[in-house]
Amino acid sequence: MSSSSMSVDLLLECPGRYCGIYKGICAGCPRGHRVNITSNVCEPCSKNPRTYEWLYLGFMVLVVIYFNIELLIRLHSKTYAHTTICNRVQIKGTLKWIVITLGEVIVAAIITLLLADPKGQMRLHACNVESILDWYSIFQNPTIKFTETIYCNSEVVYPLFSIIFTFLGFCLICMLLLRSWFKPTPFTTESVYASLYFLPAITIIHSTLCGLIYYSYPYLCITGSLIFTAILMAKNIENYSDIPTNIRKFSFISQVVMHWILHGYGILAVATYYNLSRWYLILTPLPTVFYFLTMPFSIPVSVSYVYDH
């Protein structure tokens, strides 16, 4: 059989959405490759990630940072619960651990990027995401005449799937290496124990729901920030007289800033996906402002007084 007729046979006999021809064999494309739908040939991933894809990677980094800082803020509130207004020494102690946590995550992210293709550079070669099915190629293996299955599952969204596992692994390594140098305190021991729970949890969630998260993370950010802001305000502020006291609390201001960052990130991702104006970012503090403006209409005492009279 001539090479031309063999190529024609391969094109006809290589079915499936993600099956491609690689070295004369119809199978799943190797790591770092994706099938070209037109030629049915596996081609290397050499494109730059889209902005939305970079934001997805940033979201996974933000999740780790958010959980770490949220834990440190809770430890701060628990440790200094007997004080109404924290002094500078207490705030500096908590800020030190926040900076250390940020350093761990940033170092882990940089190492992950340097080890990814192209190695040694702060950029990525990627295969762009075209469909939610790209994340679950394992469910797209074709069956020939209902008897023979061709297994073509591969990392179609290279490297958006595997790079998260690498990043989470380096987060754990950096945390254990760095925090082992410090004297055991509630900020070190409890934060390490918590990380040993939520890092594997993030890994499991990413491995199963990565496709859904990719398309929904902007709305998860926005919805999460709205819910967290409402809970924070309801727990700490009942009327306008409580605002000055809470503004002087480090834990309260830190959580408000974190919720604003989460809300702004979600707005940025939505604006990027739909090619909207970045001016929508001015809506970032809207949930907090809206709560303050509508607070007089939602105080139970005021509502009951109106009904009683």
Side-chain angles (χ1 to χ4, degrees):
M1 182 181 295
S2 65
S3 60
S4 60
S5 61
M6 181 180 293
S7 299
V8 173
D9 291 341
L10 282 172
L11 287 172
L12 294 175
E13 297 174 5
C14 194
R17 184 184 182 95
Y18 301 112
C19 295
I21 301 170
Y22 184 75
K23 295 183 178 180
I25 300 174
C26 176
C29 295
R31 189 170 185 270
H33 292 69
R34 177 171 181 165
V35 62
N36 186 312
I37 299 178
T38 304
S39 63
N40 219 24
V41 175
C42 293
E43 296 180 349
C45 299
S46 57
K47 299 178 181 178
N48 294 321
R50 302 188 186 105
T51 304
Y52 184 81
E53 293 168 350
W54 277 115
L55 289 174
Y56 170 73
L57 297 178
F59 167 74
M60 298 305 295
V61 175
L62 183 62
V63 168
V64 177
I65 292 175
Y66 181 85
F67 275 107
N68 274 292
I69 294 182
E70 182 69 20
L71 174 66
L72 292 174
I73 293 173
R74 289 180 181 273
L75 288 174
H76 175 91
S77 301
K78 178 181 177 182
T79 305
Y80 306 117
H82 60 282
T83 58
T84 305
I85 301 175
C86 295
N87 57 44
R88 293 183 179 181
V89 176
Q90 296 170 350
I91 294 176
K92 284 182 179 180
T94 305
L95 284 175
K96 179 189 75 173
W97 286 108
I98 291 177
V99 171
I100 291 173
T101 298
L102 288 174
E104 293 170 357
V105 178
I106 292 172
V107 169
I110 292 175
I111 295 174
T112 302
L113 278 178
L114 293 176
L115 292 179
D117 186 33
K119 290 182 172 56
Q121 300 183 35
M122 294 293 291
R123 61 191 186 96
L124 289 176
H125 285 166
C127 287
N128 298 140
V129 181
E130 304 297 339
S131 167
I132 192 173
L133 297 178
D134 294 348
W135 294 88
Y136 305 104
S137 61
I138 191 172
F139 301 115
Q140 306 299 316
N141 297 320
T143 301
I144 308 300
K145 297 181 181 179
F146 303 99
T147 56
E148 181 182 358
T149 301
I150 302 178
Y151 295 97
C152 298
N153 51 295
S154 61
E155 189 180 1
V156 180
V157 295
Y158 175 87
L160 300 183
F161 181 72
S162 59
I163 199 172
I164 300 300
F165 297 113
T166 306
F167 164 69
L168 294 175
F170 278 118
C171 281
L172 183 60
I173 293 173
C174 291
M175 178 193 67
L176 294 176
L177 289 178
L178 186 59
R179 300 192 193 185
S180 61
W181 290 91
F182 293 92
K183 181 181 178 180
T185 64
F187 285 95
T188 54
T189 55
E190 293 191 31
S191 61
V192 169
Y193 292 149
S195 298
L196 293 177
Y197 281 99
F198 77 74
L199 285 177
I202 294 174
T203 302
I204 295 173
I205 293 172
H206 171 70
S207 63
T208 55
L209 303 176
C210 49
L212 298 175
I213 295 173
Y214 176 81
Y215 285 101
S216 63
Y217 77 86
Y219 312 104
L220 291 176
C221 287
I222 295 173
T223 305
S225 68
L226 292 175
I227 295 174
F228 296 150
T229 299
I231 294 174
L232 177 66
M233 297 299 174
K235 287 175 61 178
N236 294 276
I237 298 178
E238 293 185 359
N239 49 62
Y240 286 123
S241 61
D242 295 330
I243 296 177
T245 303
N246 283 280
I247 286 178
R248 289 180 289 176
K249 290 182 179 180
F250 172 77
S251 58
F252 180 81
I253 292 299
S254 301
Q255 288 179 298
V256 169
V257 171
M258 285 298 299
H259 299 162
W260 282 10
I261 293 174
L262 197 64
H263 195 73
Y265 199 89
I267 294 174
L268 177 62
V270 170
T272 300
Y273 189 80
Y274 293 104
N275 295 318
L276 302 177
S277 172
R278 298 296 190 274
W279 282 102
Y280 282 102
L281 288 172
I282 63 176
L283 299 175
T284 296
L286 181 61
T288 304
V289 175
F290 179 80
Y291 186 90
F292 287 154
L293 293 177
T294 58
M295 192 165 53
F297 308 105
S298 59
I299 299 176
V301 176
S302 301
V303 175
S304 62
Y305 178 82
V306 172
Y307 277 101
D308 291 340
H309 294 76

